[in-house]
Amino acid sequence: MRRRAFITLLGGAAAWPLVARAQQGGSTIRVGLLWPGDAPPVSPRMESFRQGLRALGFIDGQNIAIELRYAQRGPQQLPDLAAELISLKVDAILAPGDLAPKVAQQATETIPIVAGGDDILGAGIVASLSRPGGNTTGLTILSPELSAKRLEILRDIIPGLSRVAALWDPTTGASQVAMTTSAALSLNLKLQVLEVRRREEVAAALRAAHDSQADALNVFSSPILASLHREIIVFAAEYRLPAIYQWKEHVEAGGLVSYGPNLAAIWRQFGIIVAKVLKGVKPADLPVEQPTKFELVLNLRTAKSLGLSIPPSVLLRADEVIE
């Protein structure tokens, strides 16, 4: 046997027991999904996650089972949910956001964790992007940089923009606030940061933005805020606040504009990373991935309802326009 082929064979050996267990009719491989939202992840998340797993041979309901746990009573429930997943002896844990991976890390040092973080490095979830170390790897969404960039897009869309309110989930840490505050100063904008930790706080936060005469709303990235997008869109419309979001799905639901990576692609990649770990790749040696493509999506119906005329220069930059 050639040396290279032998090394490849040894490298795959770690995956044999786990994969063979499912193929030979043993106990099913289990993947835990620790979701910080108070309701299950909405489309296209789960479908895309299953696609990623399936791309590497793991089919939900056949040779793998996904154990979803979500924080119905709020983020404080996450430690109990993590403990429940560990008691089920899951083979890996997917933990989106910045808080859920930390909770999972506190619960186990041996079960592989795939973090889907807003700012994995800044949150201290991994030691470095190239060599994460420990039992955690994943994908970072670059949310601080994107949140700052979205201020520029709002400035290009809204004539005379001077005051922007930002919805912030404190469980994501302070990096989005810091970078967006710096961007606001450079753009000569006043930034008002409003905390939203749970569904019941959305109405008060949007009312505060309206009362402070904010010209627009920047919804920071967070699994919790993403799960509240319908409420945010409703109140933004009520107070006639132009709002920018992370995901195009929020624009399809009636939001004005979004800028960020493709949500389906991100969750499909979560599935691929989890599958790699299940096949024996050590999280410590698996570099954290980053999105490379970002989408600008506009909803012209919403713009019209707000009395906004989107400049041609912005329309030309848009990847998708909903008319």
Side-chain angles (χ1 to χ4, degrees):
M1 182 180 292
R2 293 182 179 179
R3 181 175 180 271
R4 181 177 295 177
F6 180 66
I7 290 173
T8 301
L9 188 63
L10 284 179
W16 290 348
L18 189 58
V19 176
R21 190 177 78 196
Q23 291 175 341
Q24 296 173 4
S27 57
T28 302
I29 297 169
R30 294 183 181 274
V31 173
L33 174 46
L34 187 63
W35 177 245
D38 65 357
V42 299
S43 179
R45 291 170 176 83
M46 295 303 296
E47 309 96 291
S48 302
F49 181 51
R50 291 186 179 96
Q51 287 174 8
L53 289 169
R54 190 162 55 246
L56 272 71
F58 295 99
I59 301 173
D60 186 26
Q62 291 188 20
N63 60 355
I64 194 170
I66 300 172
E67 299 288 351
L68 170 64
R69 298 294 183 274
Y70 57 94
Q72 290 177 282
R73 299 195 301 274
Q76 68 276 6
Q77 190 184 1
L78 286 173
D80 291 339
L81 298 177
E84 187 176 335
L85 289 175
I86 291 167
S87 71
L88 293 174
K89 298 182 179 179
V90 295
D91 298 290
I93 296 173
L94 171 62
D98 289 340
L99 177 61
K102 291 180 180 179
V103 170
Q105 286 177 327
Q106 291 167 359
T108 178
E109 296 180 356
T110 55
I111 297 174
I113 298 167
V114 173
D118 295 297
D119 183 21
I120 283 181
L121 191 60
I125 294 168
V126 297
S128 78
L129 297 181
S130 58
R131 295 189 66 83
N135 63 329
T136 306
T137 187
L139 189 153
T140 185
I141 301 175
L142 305 175
S143 296
E145 294 87 344
L146 293 175
S147 296
K149 175 68 176 176
R150 286 195 286 268
L151 286 182
E152 297 180 24
I153 295 170
L154 285 174
R155 182 198 58 183
D156 293 342
I157 289 175
I158 301 168
L161 181 72
S162 64
R163 300 181 66 92
V164 178
L167 297 188
W168 172 52
D169 163 20
T171 69
T172 60
S175 55
Q176 288 188 77
V177 173
M179 193 166 288
T180 311
T181 299
S182 177
L185 286 172
S186 68
L187 295 169
N188 198 28
L189 298 174
K190 295 180 180 179
L191 185 70
Q192 175 188 21
V193 178
L194 301 166
E195 295 186 16
V196 174
R197 300 171 185 266
R198 56 184 64 87
R199 195 172 300 272
E200 296 76 20
E201 296 175 352
V202 172
L206 270 292
R207 191 181 310 115
H210 174 263
D211 291 347
S212 67
Q213 298 183 326
D215 301 310
L217 184 69
N218 187 355
V219 182
F220 284 177
S221 177
S222 147
I224 293 174
L225 292 178
S227 69
L228 302 177
H229 75 276
R230 296 191 185 281
E231 288 85 351
I232 295 170
I233 289 169
V234 167
F235 284 107
E238 179 179 333
Y239 292 118
R240 299 184 60 77
L241 270 173
I244 189 165
Y245 303 84
Q246 173 97 344
W247 309 115
K248 77 168 186 177
E249 285 73 14
H250 299 167
V251 178
E252 291 171 343
L256 173 64
V257 59
S258 66
Y259 182 73
N262 181 278
L263 181 58
I266 290 291
W267 276 72
R268 185 178 188 276
Q269 198 60 30
F270 286 164
I272 289 174
I273 298 170
V274 169
K276 288 179 180 179
V277 169
L278 294 176
K279 285 180 174 288
V281 181
K282 293 181 179 178
D285 301 329
L286 190 58
V288 172
E289 299 184 21
Q290 305 175 57
T292 56
K293 185 178 185 301
F294 305 96
E295 302 174 325
L296 175 62
V297 182
L298 294 158
N299 188 321
L300 293 187
R301 290 197 303 269
T302 301
K304 184 177 180 180
S305 71
L306 293 167
L308 286 174
S309 178
I310 306 297
S313 60
V314 178
L315 289 172
L316 286 172
R317 284 157 43 198
D319 297 277
E320 186 176 341
V321 175
I322 299 170
E323 299 189 56

